[in-house]
Amino acid sequence: MLLNSTHVIPRSRHEEESASLQCKIQELNKNTVRLISEAEKLIQESKQLSERIKSFENTKAKWPPSTHF
């Protein structure tokens, strides 16, 4: 129900369902934005990790082979 300054106005079932769906859509949109943001962070971290691994592999390749058995 909606409260008016003079009296209470009953909402139709359709209006209530519509308002409920609108809230759920807003929550879904917020969660989607969060997921995209987290995915971007993970992609960036993955790129950095990949670069570190390549750098490590390049450094390791320059070292002479070990003679220890």
Side-chain angles (χ1 to χ4, degrees):
M1 287 205 248
L2 293 174
L3 293 177
N4 191 334
S5 59
T6 56
H7 59 286
V8 175
I9 303 169
R11 279 188 163 179
S12 72
R13 183 166 184 86
H14 176 73
E15 288 174 326
E16 288 177 5
E17 289 174 355
S18 179
S20 175
L21 284 173
Q22 200 67 10
C23 287
K24 289 177 182 178
I25 289 170
Q26 288 175 353
E27 184 177 353
L28 183 61
N29 287 340
K30 287 178 190 176
N31 289 339
T32 301
V33 169
R34 287 184 190 138
L35 283 172
I36 291 169
S37 175
E38 289 299 315
E40 288 173 346
K41 288 178 189 176
L42 289 172
I43 290 168
Q44 195 61 31
E45 289 173 5
S46 176
K47 287 178 182 178
Q48 291 172 355
L49 183 58
S50 179
E51 289 172 8
R52 289 177 63 193
I53 290 170
K54 286 178 186 175
S55 175
F56 174 74
E57 288 173 347
N58 289 339
T59 302
K60 192 171 94 174
K62 292 178 183 177
W63 284 67
S66 177
T67 56
H68 295 71
F69 294 108

